[in-house]
């Protein structure tokens, strides 16, 4: 069993952090990789990126936004409770390289996914600027960790309640215009990743995104996670989840994420009713 | 046919009525009673040179077990089957008997063959429900450790054999439940999951350790397994890579591989949504591409999930359909339509990216191709549209590279299957054996088990004598 040893509520309780005992996964995990979790016998298999790992304690950390039945079920688990199944590490690790100036852009819980990548890019000697965004001050997560993980951190809020008033792409634009940016990593909601991709495309700045299609097994046996990259079909769980942003068909990804919207609503309503 | 009149026909197994069963997930054939089983068993001639046994890939001693059944020694009959076949309750249900044991039965030359599969199923079910549950004898512990990768029929066979020979066995399974295709692919109404669960539990009672959630190649490599002290490894990871047709529009919502569709319904129990959390697409007008067992299972599942119509689209004719005759028959009884000599050319979607139809071409049969089957040739200008909101692609599966890609010193063939020595299952990597679908390509349960049996014999020789 995979016991929760630490739990935090972030962003006014909209986002949950769980540190889970999983020594074998912690030993193997690299930045950019994810796990699949199932809370109980009747649960769904849900992919979440590892935001951190601790080798000595044998733990992994996940950070997730409560948006539906499964994440709400996860959020109800307390310290001492266990996930029934945790599988990983899955996916390819981020290809880490010393290139010079790097910008890491994160939105929503994408910041959690971005954290280990940002830290690793800095550790190998890149000059890393991190830009994170949220709708308002209360929804900002992992500010301390991101400050440590990067050389410079910029925070943006849509309503101006904290940091820069505006979008993460505003700051990114400034950076691109004034500095010799070699690489950009963007992780967050699909529209944000698409906007970043469009911004770096003209200069041909190498841009990585981490895609979040719906998954089942996470081992390449079902094809549920298909995404179109450079006109080819890829399975995000084994070929990704990171891809060259300039080649990704974001429109298709956005549509496919709505495959089960009606049933998801039904399932979440039932869950809330039972509580 | 005057002759067959004097010979009673086979005792038919009661089945759920088609109209009823097309809406539930309960098993279709309901099983023999003891009386029915013994009546059917009495039809066996107890041949001196039993052709039936020659037709069985693992050589079950058929007349011997049938004789014990006739005498009323059902436990003895079960033991007799177990000598050759570790999963008779499964094989009795899913083996293509018409091409194997029953296809060879001498009684079948003049009439209907002895219902060997049904009898095997009866004996195994009876023993499971009424038997003592006594464990088979084990040889003294050898202190050797074997890792089995993949808990499908092939891996389970190896585990069962080697634990009896005194070795320690640990199974590593990627999914959260053991059983392979038996739990994620073959539907509940053909193979109740409780049966697979009990077979697995039987191994655990004998001391086999099962580590689920262990994706070998990702969580741990083969070399790391050796470092952890395993003396030999068996790779039985199956044919887990779905094939798609590469048609325009293939990523519209509502187009799923059979692997995904069946995993969602069977393994994740999506047919019981929302009591189980995993959604399964609710197609009203469903098309299934392909005509093998997997296609039949997908089509029959879609019907049970509430479809208004289910069509199987296949480019050849009925004769070439690779599925078992009994399965095609069951599917048609349940209202599934066959749309033969038709080949899809593209998918049609709406502006939400959802599937609304499929364009197909009519085909006609031309000259025989390499496989000896008449080649389907498209008829020019014969395009037509099938309206559909769910398409399940069941056109085969290949070798999943997840583990093999991480194991460069294990030789693969052109198609990505592991190369293993016939008869022993030895791979090019020292201390590693392989068998089942990952070696043969997608085949059958009994062949996967047969390969497991050969490998376990070879592994035992290695652990006692050397490579
Ligand atoms: C590789 C990967 C890494 C991810 N990492 C994170 C992370 O670190 N933090 C985080 O908050 N979220 C992450 N996600 C997204 C997360 O998996 C979904 O938010 C979660 O599955 C929603 O489940 P739900 O039942 O609560 O919501 P639901 O109501 O079921 O679904 C809400 C939306 O989530 C998506 N979704 C639903 N089921 C799945 C599924 N099985 N697999 C993937 N997406 C699904 C769909 O777009 C759906 O419309 C990641 C996704 C992927 C593929
Ligand atoms: C829908 C369907 C219907 C079928 N119907 C019939 C039938 O009626 N009769 C018949 O005889 N045959 C049938 N077959 C074929 C039969 O099921 C297979 O030939 C048989 O299951 C192969 O056994 P196996 O042990 O080689 O592999 P599998 O049963 O595929 O098992 C392999 C196991 O390995 C696991 N695995 C994969 N990769 C890894 C990894 N890296 N690490 C750890 N574990 C891993 C998988 O999760 C799986 O559990 C059917 C197949 C399908 C898909
Ligand atoms: S294992 Fe299969 S082929 Fe062999 S006797 Fe049993 S049903 Fe027939
Ligand atoms: S061939 Fe038929 S009749 Fe002969 S032993 Fe086998 S089952 Fe009995
Ligand atoms: S999630 Fe099944 S292939 Fe990627």
């Amino acid at each position: 069993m995979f016991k929760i040893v630490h739990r935090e509520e972030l962003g006014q309780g909209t986002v949950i952090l769980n540190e889970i005992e999983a020594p074998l996964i912690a030993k193997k995990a690299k930045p950019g990789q994810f796990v699949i979790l199932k809370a109980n016998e009747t649960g769904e298999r849900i992919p979440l990126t590892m935001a951190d790992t601790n080798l000595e304690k044998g733990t992994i950390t996940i950070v997730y936004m409560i948006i539906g039945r499964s994440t709400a079920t996860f959020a109800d688990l307390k310290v001492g409770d266990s996930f029934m199944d945790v599988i990983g590490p899955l996916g390819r690790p981020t290809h880490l390289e010393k290139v010079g100036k790097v910008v890491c852009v994160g939105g929503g819980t994408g910041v959690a996914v971005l954290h280990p990548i940002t830290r690793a890019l800095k550790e190998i000697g890149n000059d890393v600027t991190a830009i994170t965004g949220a709708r308002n001050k209360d929804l900002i997560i992992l500010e301390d960790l991101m400050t440590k993980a990067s050389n410079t951190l910029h925070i943006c809020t849509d309503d101006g309640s904290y940091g820069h008033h505006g979008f993460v792409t505003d700051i990114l634009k400034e950076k691109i215009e004034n500095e010799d940016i070699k690489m950009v990593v963007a992780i967050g909601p699909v529209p944000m990743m698409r906007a970043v991709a469009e911004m770096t495309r003209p200069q041909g700045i190498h841009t990585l995104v981490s895609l979040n299609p719906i998954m089942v097994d996470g081992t390449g046996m079902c094809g549920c996670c298909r995404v179109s990259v450079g006109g080819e079909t890829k399975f995000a769980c084994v070929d990704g989840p990171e891809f060259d942003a300039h080649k990704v068909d974001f429109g298709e990804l956005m549509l496919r994420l709505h495959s089960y919207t009606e049933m998801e609503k039904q399932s979440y309503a039932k869950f809330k009713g039972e509580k | 046919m005057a002759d067959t009149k004097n010979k009673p026909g086979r005792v038919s197994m009661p089945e759920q009525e088609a109209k009823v069963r097309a809406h539930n997930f309960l098993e279709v054939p309901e099983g023999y009673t003891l009386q029915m089983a013994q009546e059917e068993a009495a039809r066996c001639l107890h041949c001196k040179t039993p052709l039936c046994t020659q037709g069985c890939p693992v050589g079950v001693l058929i007349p011997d077990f049938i004789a014990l059944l006739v005498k009323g020694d059902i436990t003895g009959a079960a033991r007799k089957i177990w000598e050759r076949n570790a999963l008779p309750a499964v094989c009795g249900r899913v083996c293509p008997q018409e091409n194997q044991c029953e296809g060879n039965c001498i009684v079948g030359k003049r009439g209907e063959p002895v219902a060997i599969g049904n009898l095997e199923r009866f004996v195994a079910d009876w023993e499971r429900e009424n038997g003592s549950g006594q464990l088979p004898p084990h040889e003294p512990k050898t202190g050797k450790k074997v890792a089995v990768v993949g808990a499908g029929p092939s891996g389970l066979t190896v585990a069962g054999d080697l634990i009896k020979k005194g070795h320690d066995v640990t199974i590593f399974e990627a999914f959260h439940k053991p059983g392979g295709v038996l739990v994620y692919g073959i539907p509940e109404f053909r193979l109740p999951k409780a049966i697979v669960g009990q077979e697995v539990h039987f191994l655990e009672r004998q001391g086999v350790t099962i580590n689920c959630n262990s994706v070998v190649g990702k969580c741990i490599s083969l070399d790391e397994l050796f470092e952890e002290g395993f003396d030999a490894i068996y790779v039985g990871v199956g044919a887990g890579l779905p094939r798609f047709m590469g048609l325009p529009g293939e990523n519209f919502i509502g187009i799923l591989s059979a692997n995904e569709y069946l995993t969602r319904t069977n393994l994740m129990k999506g047919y019981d949504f929302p009591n189980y959390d995993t959604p399964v697409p609710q197609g009203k007008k469903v098309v299934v591409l392909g005509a093998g067992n997997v296609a039949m299972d997908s089509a029959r599942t879609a019907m049970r999930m509430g479809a208004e119509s289910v069509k199987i689209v296949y480019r050849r004719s009925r004769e070439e359909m690779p599925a078992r005759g009994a399965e095609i028959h069951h599917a048609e009884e349940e209202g599934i339509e066959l749309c033969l000599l038709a080949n899809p050319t593209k998918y049609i979607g709406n502006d939400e990216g959802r599937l609304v139809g499929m364009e197909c071409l009519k085909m006609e049969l031309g000259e025989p191709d390499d496989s000896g089957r008449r080649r389907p040739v498209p008829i020019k200008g014969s395009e037509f549209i099938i309206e559909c909101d769910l398409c399940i692609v069941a056109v085969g599966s290949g070798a999943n590279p997840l583990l093999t890609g991480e194991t460069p010193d294990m030789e693969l063939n052109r198609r990505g299957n592991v190369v293993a020595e016939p008869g022993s299952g030895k791979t090019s990597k020292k201390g590693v054996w392989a068998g089942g679908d990952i070696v043969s390509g997608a085949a059958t349960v009994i062949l996967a088990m047969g390969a497991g049996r050969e490998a376990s014999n070879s592994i035992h020789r290695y652990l006692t004598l050397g490579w």
Side-chain angles (χ1 to χ4, degrees), chain B residues 303-320:
Chain B
M303 199 52 133
R304 284 163 173 75
M305 292 297 295
E308 284 162 11
S309 70
V310 182
K311 291 189 175 70
I312 287 184
V313 172
Y314 181 51
R315 66 201 171 106
R316 300 182 192 253
S317 71
R318 190 183 188 102
E319 266 169 46
E320 289 89 14

Side-chain angles (χ1 to χ4, degrees), chain A residues 2 24-25 27-28 33 38 40-45 69-70 73 84-93 214-228 233 235 237-238 252 255-261 263-264 266-267 270 274, chain B residues 174-177 184 212-215 217-221 224 228 240-242 244 249-261 263-264 267-270 273-282 305 350-354 393 400-402:
Chain A
F2 302 86
L24 296 176
I25 302 176
K27 201 165 96 185
K28 271 271 181 165
Q33 288 189 299
K38 186 167 151 293
N40 50 40
E41 181 59 33
T42 56
E44 190 175 2
R45 293 167 64 101
R69 170 154 183 173
S70 301
T73 307
M84 190 168 204
D85 301 290
V86 180
I87 303 126
L90 299 170
R92 289 175 197 261
I214 298 179
M215 294 186 176
V216 180
D217 60 300
T219 63
M221 67 72 72
C222 80
C224 174
C225 62
R226 2 203 241 290
V227 288
S228 294
T233 295
F235 290 0
C237 68
V238 285
E252 180 187 280
L255 291 173
R256 283 184 65 82
L257 281 169
H258 288 113
S259 299
Y260 297 103
T261 306
M263 296 182 82
E264 283 157 358
Q266 184 194 346
S267 177
K270 178 170 183 283
E274 281 164 4
Chain B
F175 264 127
H176 56 271
K177 258 207 189 95
Y184 79 69
C212 288
N213 300 325
S214 304
V215 186
K218 281 284 174 190
C219 308
I220 191 161
S221 68
E224 284 165 337
E228 287 208 348
L241 181 73
F244 287 90
E250 201 144 57
N251 292 346
F252 286 133
I253 299 170
I255 303 167
L256 282 77
S257 75
N259 275 3
E260 180 184 352
Y261 186 70
T263 301
R264 283 180 179 275
L267 181 71
M268 305 310 298
K269 299 226 184 318
F273 181 88
N275 294 323
Y276 281 75
D277 297 351
T278 306
V280 182
Q282 310 274 304
M305 292 297 295
N350 65 14
D351 48 6
E352 287 176 6
R354 287 182 190 272
V393 185
N400 188 317
L402 191 93

